[in-house]
Amino acid sequence: MQDFTNETIDLDKLPKYQEIVLTAPDQKYWKVIIINICIFLFIIGIGLGLFLWLNTYIKPYTYPIIGGFLVFGILLFLIHRASFKKRGYALREKDIVYKSGIIAEKTSIVPLNRIQHVSLDEGVFSRMYGLATLEIHTAGGSAGHMHIAGIPVEKASVIKEALLKRIDLLESLAAD
């Protein structure tokens, strides 16, 4: 019978995920983001315009409201641009890493043996630029899911197939 041990782990000897070289989303994905922001601002602008046109009490504040809308639009572009520059992913032999965020930087590391399903999603505008979103689903519920957008379709397909082969290999090893 083996005695129970619970040794302290030397944190300096653990692998450092911060040193991983990440692959950034394709530059064409920035165009997709711009299109989506423009559609969003257009819809909000129409609603705001109708509100200003139909509401006589607000008419004296038309220019400040339009100015606020323009500032909002500019901030939206700047925030998304900064977010775009911070994104990156890496596929390693035992896990997949995805990093994003501006103010609160989030790094997700999903072990390959926790992946249950992998799929590709091509939105209308992404398809126009030959891009896809790699969706990785885990057993941990929606909190464990990972969506990596802005990957060229061919590369996303290769990653998907590599992940599926690795998952099959891990399942066959576990069955033995």
Side-chain angles (χ1 to χ4, degrees):
M1 184 157 134
Q2 203 173 16
D3 291 329
F4 174 77
T5 62
N6 194 9
E7 298 294 323
T8 304
I9 297 173
D10 184 3
L11 299 178
D12 294 327
K13 292 184 180 177
L14 290 175
K16 306 213 178 339
Y17 72 87
Q18 298 91 338
E19 297 172 359
I20 299 171
V21 177
L22 300 174
T23 303
D26 193 287
Q27 286 299 315
K28 292 183 280 186
Y29 186 59
W30 174 240
K31 294 176 185 176
V32 174
I33 292 172
I34 289 174
I35 292 170
N36 288 328
I37 291 173
C38 287
I39 291 171
F40 172 75
L41 290 175
F42 180 73
I43 292 169
I44 298 297
I46 288 175
L48 188 60
L50 288 173
F51 179 72
L52 290 172
W53 184 54
L54 297 174
N55 194 332
T56 56
Y57 299 110
I58 303 295
K59 286 198 183 205
Y61 306 105
T62 300
Y63 292 116
I65 291 173
I66 291 172
F69 177 71
L70 292 174
V71 168
F72 171 73
I74 291 168
L75 286 174
L76 202 58
F77 276 103
L78 293 174
I79 288 169
H80 277 83
R81 184 63 184 170
S83 172
F84 177 76
K85 289 182 176 184
K86 291 281 191 171
R87 295 179 188 188
Y89 65 93
L91 177 61
R92 303 189 303 175
E93 68 180 61
K94 294 186 172 135
D95 57 27
I96 187 160
V97 180
Y98 181 63
K99 181 178 158 186
S100 64
I102 307 168
I103 297 169
E105 197 172 275
K106 179 181 176 182
T107 303
S108 300
I109 303 172
V110 176
L112 298 183
N113 63 352
R114 297 289 180 232
I115 297 173
Q116 290 187 331
H117 176 66
V118 182
S119 62
L120 288 180
D121 179 35
E122 294 178 61
V124 174
F125 302 116
S126 292
R127 194 175 317 120
M128 289 171 45
Y129 291 100
L131 301 173
T133 298
L134 186 66
E135 297 179 358
I136 299 167
H137 304 272
T138 65
S142 63
H145 297 341
M146 184 182 288
H147 300 269
I148 306 172
I151 305 173
V153 174
E154 304 81 26
K155 191 176 200 178
S157 295
V158 169
I159 294 171
K160 177 186 172 187
E161 291 305 316
L163 288 173
L164 292 174
K165 284 180 184 174
R166 185 72 178 158
I167 292 167
D168 288 343
L169 177 66
L170 290 172
E171 286 176 356
S172 66
L173 289 174
D176 291 340

